[in-house]
Amino acid sequence: MKIDLHCHSYYSDGVLSPSEVVLLAKKEGCDVFALTDHDTTDGLIEAQQQADKSGLSLVHGVEISAMWSNMTVHILGLGVDINNEILQMGLKQHQEFRQLRAEKMARGLGGAGVFGALEKTQAIAKKSMITRTHFAQMLVQEGVCKDMKSVFKRFLTGKKPGGVGGKWAEYDEVISWIHAAGGKAVLAHPLRYRMTNTKVKRLLNHLSGAGLDGVEVVTGSSSSDEITLVSQWAKEFGLSASVGSDYHGWSGQRVRIGHLQDMPSANETVWRDW
Ligand code: AMP
Ligand code: MN
Ligand code: MN
Ligand code: MN
């Protein structure tokens, strides 16, 4: 079975439409596939229509930003009821914060000599959501930076001109939204948070205490050693294992939908009861 439970469309910071993402997942041979846009489920209606036509099993997902110990982490909700009011009220709160944050980032960039940042970034975004990725694309397009990586380093993090702190809901609240909508809560890409392994284990411990169901053991950029390590942690904390490419469709992104390393057989998977 080919499974990929973490991908983006242009409803957040991906390049393709939901239909295009579903068609690509089908073409790449996925049997089960989840669309997991940042802080929105709005792309899932179009994705479901295409999945029905293509005969692909679509899992309704979302990747929710959350605070843990003053840091931003990403928690995937997999198999959520997109009509659940508690989930949608939470996502709305994040969407509103994103709008305020975008205005604040634009002011910061203005102070650094990048004018009209909000309008230019809005022109790049296909839907109403503005992510830091869109700001990064704008700064590359304007010739301010040569690539996405340098934009994040020079402009969009910490105390840099476009850097703004996260003010997302706390991790336990985010997990409760996902559970209210009948989904499984899964910590995304545990090794991408610039934390020591000891700190990631503390994160897993706290999130497990708040009802976390799983952790992404295999991601699009995992090495074999990383898979072994996270597989071990999943067992240690009693978490199910998930797999997802985190495909965005950017040119230059090497990951491909559905092209992931094998899950260690020792792990319980998040999809075992589906
Ligand atoms: P946001 O949720 O708006 O803060 O944007 C976060 C998104 O920016 C992540 O989901 C990634 O897709 C992207 N991102 C974060 N850091 C980097 C980086 N160093 N280089 C490229 N993309 C990044
Ligand atoms: Mn992203
Ligand atoms: Mn993420
Ligand atoms: Mn993602």
Side-chain angles (χ1 to χ4, degrees):
M1 277 248 283
K2 232 185 196 190
I3 300 178
D4 191 334
L5 301 177
H6 186 164
C7 292
H8 297 272
S9 76
Y10 62 40
Y11 275 78
S12 62
D13 59 351
V15 170
L16 303 179
S17 69
S19 314
E20 287 167 334
V21 177
V22 167
L23 283 169
L24 184 58
K26 181 73 185 175
K27 184 168 147 241
E28 299 283 15
C30 287
D31 301 292
V32 184
F33 169 77
L35 179 67
T36 55
D37 274 311
H38 295 287
D39 300 311
T40 181
T41 58
D42 292 351
L44 284 162
I45 296 163
E46 182 187 322
Q48 187 62 61
Q49 285 165 354
Q50 186 59 55
D52 290 342
K53 278 190 224 156
S54 302
L56 181 71
S57 173
L58 179 75
V59 174
H60 290 186
V62 59
E63 180 175 18
I64 310 182
S65 312
M67 300 312 295
W68 173 75
S69 190
N70 279 321
M71 298 174 79
T72 298
V73 296
H74 287 172
I75 302 176
L76 296 163
L78 296 176
V80 292
D81 168 10
I82 61 174
N83 295 315
N84 181 272
E85 274 183 34
I86 293 172
L87 174 66
Q88 291 305 337
M89 264 164 48
L91 296 180
K92 186 154 177 274
Q93 182 186 312
H94 280 197
Q95 288 155 14
E96 285 166 0
F97 168 64
R98 281 182 175 280
Q99 185 59 36
L100 292 174
R101 187 185 70 154
E103 290 161 16
K104 205 168 156 194
M105 285 170 69
R107 282 196 294 275
L109 290 170
V114 182
F115 302 109
L118 189 59
E119 294 70 23
K120 285 175 184 159
T121 304
Q122 266 161 344
I124 289 175
K126 291 235 175 54
K127 295 286 167 184
S128 57
M129 182 182 291
I130 299 181
T131 67
R132 282 189 299 160
T133 305
H134 295 111
F135 275 98
Q137 286 163 339
M138 183 276 291
L139 289 165
V140 172
Q141 191 176 295
E142 292 291 306
V144 178
C145 287
K146 68 174 192 326
D147 57 28
M148 301 266 284
K149 204 173 164 191
S150 58
V151 185
F152 274 89
K153 224 165 123 186
R154 283 176 52 199
F155 286 99
L156 303 181
T157 47
K159 300 239 182 308
K160 301 294 162 61
V164 284
K167 243 184 168 286
W168 315 109
E170 283 291 319
Y171 66 94
D172 49 349
E173 208 184 330
V174 168
I175 292 171
S176 75
W177 299 344
I178 294 168
H179 285 167
K184 290 204 192 287
V186 173
L187 179 70
H189 42 66
L191 297 178
R192 231 189 288 151
Y193 297 117
R194 294 167 193 276
M195 293 180 196
T196 60
N197 286 353
T198 312
K199 198 159 179 185
V200 180
K201 288 183 79 171
R202 203 177 326 135
L203 165 69
L204 285 170
N205 188 30
H206 284 173
L207 269 60
S208 300
L212 188 76
D213 302 287
V215 58
E216 232 171 32
V217 169
V218 180
T219 78
S221 56
S222 303
S223 69
S224 309
D225 287 348
E226 288 171 344
I227 292 171
T228 307
L229 181 66
V230 183
S231 156
Q232 207 67 47
W233 290 343
K235 281 183 270 178
E236 196 175 324
F237 292 100
L239 295 167
S240 307
S242 190
V243 30
S245 61
D246 203 5
Y247 176 84
H248 284 76
W250 303 321
S251 62
Q253 199 195 19
R254 284 206 305 272
V255 303
R256 286 170 65 188
I257 287 187
H259 287 252
L260 290 136
Q261 297 197 57
D262 289 337
M263 178 69 80
S265 56
N267 285 103
E268 286 253 37
T269 62
V270 277
W271 59 86
R272 67 186 182 278
D273 325 314
W274 293 348

